[in-house]
């Protein structure tokens, strides 16, 4: 659950205690992007012995007005719809789309709520000069959709959950296609017109160099000094943690480049005063990734600005909730912040389809809903016959290319009803262990059309 | 020269699988690099996962990082969990040049176990660096090779060099030491890999 929609917060700036990324959706309605701070909250939840949702619930208790409502969802649009539904039912507090109450509320969302929230998105698209923000076009498509739903007798959006977003887009335009994707497909939050809100001017320092430099060794001491100066800016509380820095570079030919230096976990910049190994490493990675013409020497830098754009501001009330930090967890968090590449974690998921039977997370502990003991036992038995490694996408396989010995393992039903109806996915797969002359064993399957695929390796 | 004063641990750390620990003369040598010949598809990694899963469960502070290079192959975590791997303490990274791209990891003792799965770009200097770091941080570094190890070539910095695979005919794992253990071999069935109660 990475997005939180909050209706009627007690005092909106206090929401910065939850995440450094906020968006003002409309008056008294705010969106909070929790993805940048989830790892931090996971660690706090572990320390306080609460589930992540219950931790956020207890934190929100002090941040919401008496009649405030909040909803957690994987997509900001779904969070908004759910919060609207909660508030419309005169229910208050926090609801999550993965909990039973949240799932029930989600199924009951009316066309009126759906259209209201859809209409609220128009100014956000319009502010970006995106054609999807065109109000007359939206109303025309809306009229078409309302007549179609009336004719079909579809009382609630949920009843059409299986409808393809592409079909929605063809009939009712790009905006409704996107919204359908966000609500009932796997819509990426990147398509959402997110605009971060700033309550105050972020701490910033400027550097003008007397001569141009372009090698990291010369640049690093100046940057370290600037990070110290940034910590000394009066508006920055030492308790605040940094999630993103903006580093604007100005070259001697007066061209500019803006680098976003993002931290995987909220980083305490003040803790590394005078050294800043973590921030310097991330600055170096961003600097090295700067697009350059390899045939030309790098242009010298003559000035830069360093701005602490996203900060998490833990409130005193929050801090009292937690015990002492686990040193081992802190060490891992600090290490992950120093790396160029992310570290992944995996967790099994209750699903028989190989592609859907695990979740992975970057920079935080992968988690899935608590498994039921009956399902867990049967899925564990199934897993014991499967390989250690899977290909991201099954690859074409020719069983006649070599003398493979094939041993049947299982017949697996695919979720043919999910992916655009019949014809797109074969209804079942027969899995075999294919062993070649060198005793290398592979996990292969034959679909109902008779095509063979390589899916894994018994390593 | 301070680094060279660190006492090299002489003891072995048991993995918790009695038959394998006896074969290894007490377990994996602490603070060292070991090299394993485990060709893809031949079951050697299952044996290692059982052993590392057991060691990781015995030492609840221990974290493990599994470093691979293949961008197309993913871990299938339900199978790993079925082998007893505590996934909540294991992390995974995919990099082409592990020593360069994961240097902060190698300089830190956060991960007790580091597994380099079929690395392609490890130079002799990199292997020397890994051996120094393993000793310095008292880590266990395992380098898994996609092929058999030979006695006439290979990693001089590895304290142990062993070939391992699963033999489907006898339904047993087969281990052959190349360096660090007396000549011989070990055949182990899955039942014999049962864990020792801790």
């Amino acid at each position: 659950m990475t997005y939180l929609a909050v209706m009627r917060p007690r005092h909106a700036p206090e929401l910065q205690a939850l995440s450094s990324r906020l968006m003002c959706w409309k008056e008294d309605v705010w969106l909070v992007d929790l993805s940048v701070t989830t790892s931090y909250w996971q660690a706090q939840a572990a320390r306080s012995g609460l589930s992540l949702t219950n931790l956020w619930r207890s934190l929100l208790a002090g941040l919401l007005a008496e009649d405030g409502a909040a909803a957690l969802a994987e997509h900001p649009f779904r969070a908004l719809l759910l919060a609207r539904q909660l508030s419309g039912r005169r229910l208050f507090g926090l609801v999550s789309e993965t909990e039973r109450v949240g799932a029930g509320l989600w199924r009951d969302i009316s066309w009126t709520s759906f259209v209201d929230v859809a209409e609220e998105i128009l100014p956000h698209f319009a502010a970006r000069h995106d054609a999807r923000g065109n109000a007359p076009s939206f109303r025309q498509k809306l009229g078409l959709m309302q007549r179609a739903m009336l004719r079909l007798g579809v009382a609630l959006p949920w009843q059409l959950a299986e409808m393809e977003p592409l079909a929605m887009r063809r009939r009712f335009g790009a905006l409704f296609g996107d919204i359908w994707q966000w609500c009932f497909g796997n819509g990426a939050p990147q398509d959402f017109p997110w605009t971060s809100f700033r309550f105050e001017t972020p701490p910033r320092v400027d550097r003008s160099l007397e001569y141009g430099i372009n090698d990291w060794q010369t640049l690093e001491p100046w940057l370290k000094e600037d990070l110290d100066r940034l910590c000394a800016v009066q508006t920055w509380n030492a308790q605040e943690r940094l999630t993103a820095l903006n580093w604007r570079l100005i070259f001697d030919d007066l061209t500019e480049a803006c680098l976003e230096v993002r931290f995987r976990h909220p980083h305490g910049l003040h803790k590394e005063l005078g050294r800043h190994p973590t921030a310097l490493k991330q600055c170096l990675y961003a600097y090295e990734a700067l697009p350059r013409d390899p045939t030309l020497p790098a242009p010298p830098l003559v000035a830069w600005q360093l701005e602490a754009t996203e900060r998490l501001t833990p409130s005193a009330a929050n801090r009292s909730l937690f015990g002492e930090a686990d040193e081992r967890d802190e060490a891992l968090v600090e290490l992950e912040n120093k790396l160029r590449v992310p570290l992944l974690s995996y967790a099994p998921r209750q699903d028989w389809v190989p592609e859907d039977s695990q979740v992975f997370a970057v920079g935080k502990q992968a988690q899935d809903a608590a498994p039921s003991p009956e399902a867990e036992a049967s899925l564990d038995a199934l897993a014991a016959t499967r390989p250690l490694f899977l290909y991201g996408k099954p690859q074409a396989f020719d069983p006649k290319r070599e003398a493979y010995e094939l041993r049947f393992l299982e017949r697996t039903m695919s979720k043919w009803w999910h992916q655009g109806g019949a014809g797109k996915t074969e209804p079942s797969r027969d899995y075999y262990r294919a062993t070649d002359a060198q005793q290398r064993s592979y996990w292969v399957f034959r679909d109902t059309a008779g095509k063979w695929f390589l899916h894994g390796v018994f390593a | 020269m301070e680094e060279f004063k660190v006492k090299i641990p002489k003891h072995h750390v048991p993995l918790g699988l009695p038959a394998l620990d006896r074969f290894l003369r007490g377990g994996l040598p602490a603070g060292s690099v070991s090299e394993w010949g485990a060709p893809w598809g031949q079951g050697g990694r299952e044996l290692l996962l059982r052993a590392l899963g057991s060691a990781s469960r015995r030492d609840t502070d221990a974290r493990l990082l599994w470093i691979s290079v293949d961008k197309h192959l993913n871990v299938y975590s339900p199978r790993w969990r079925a082998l007893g791997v505590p996934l909540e303490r294991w992390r995974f990274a995919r990099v082409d040049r592990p020593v360069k791209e994961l240097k902060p990891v190698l300089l830190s003792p956060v991960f007790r176990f580091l597994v380099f799965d079929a690395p392609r770009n490890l130079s002799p200097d990199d292997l020397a660096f890994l051996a120094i770091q393993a000793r310095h941080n008292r880590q266990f570094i395992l380098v898994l090779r996609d092929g058999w190890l030979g006695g006439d070539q290979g990693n001089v910095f590895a304290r142990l060099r062993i070939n391992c695979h699963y033999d489907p005919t006898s339904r047993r794992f087969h281990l052959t030491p190349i360096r660090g253990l007396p000549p011989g071999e070990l055949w182990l069935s899955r039942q014999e890999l049962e864990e020792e109660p801790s």
Side-chain angles (χ1 to χ4, degrees), chain A residues 281 285 288 328-329 331-332 335-336 338-349 351-354 357-359 364-365 371 376 379-380 383-393 395 433 435 438-442 456-459, chain B residues 38-46 49 60-63 65-66 68 70 72-83 87-95 100-105 108 110-111 117 146-147 166-169 171 190:
Chain A
K281 277 208 165 61
Y285 301 150
E288 284 179 343
R328 287 164 301 171
D329 291 339
L332 179 60
L335 178 62
E336 286 187 305
K338 285 181 187 147
L339 294 178
R340 186 192 297 267
V341 292
L343 301 185
L344 308 176
S345 70
Y346 290 87
R349 194 172 166 198
D351 203 300
W352 72 96
V353 176
S357 53
Q358 64 180 350
V359 286
K364 60 186 178 190
Q365 177 57 50
E376 194 175 13
L379 289 171
D380 273 356
T385 65
R386 290 181 171 180
L388 290 171
F389 295 90
L390 291 190
Y391 282 97
K393 202 175 169 193
Q395 312 198 342
R433 185 180 186 120
T435 307
Q438 288 82 45
Q439 299 295 318
R440 292 177 184 252
S441 296
Y442 302 97
V457 185
F458 290 90
Chain B
W40 276 102
Q42 297 205 21
R45 279 166 190 76
E46 181 185 331
L49 280 177
T60 52
D61 285 350
R63 293 180 187 278
L65 179 63
W66 191 281
S68 52
D70 197 316
H72 304 291
L73 273 178
N74 296 321
V75 163
Y76 181 58
S77 62
R79 175 74 177 123
W80 289 51
R81 189 181 63 177
L83 290 175
L87 285 163
E88 67 283 0
R89 281 186 279 124
W90 286 32
R91 294 288 184 273
F92 300 84
R94 269 187 244 165
V95 287
K100 181 171 189 283
E101 293 176 58
L102 292 172
K103 196 146 219 172
V105 168
S108 142
V110 167
F111 289 99
D117 193 353
D146 178 22
Y166 181 74
D167 177 37
T169 317
R171 297 188 171 196
R190 289 195 166 105

Side-chain angles (χ1 to χ4, degrees), chain A residues 5-8 25-31 67-72 76-93 95 105-106 108-121:
Chain A
V6 182
M7 299 181 78
R8 293 179 291 282
W25 181 252
K26 56 181 269 199
E27 196 191 353
D28 246 14
V29 181
W30 291 79
L31 278 169
D67 59 346
L72 270 170
F77 193 83
R78 290 210 297 268
L80 284 164
L81 271 175
L82 207 52
R84 167 76 55 113
Q85 182 74 352
L86 185 71
S87 176
R89 291 281 181 88
R90 298 192 174 281
L91 297 169
F92 310 113
V95 71
L105 282 170
W106 177 249
D108 284 348
I109 285 171
S110 66
W111 283 113
T112 314
S113 304
F114 182 83
V115 169
D116 284 350
V117 181
E119 203 158 5
E120 286 167 10
I121 209 169

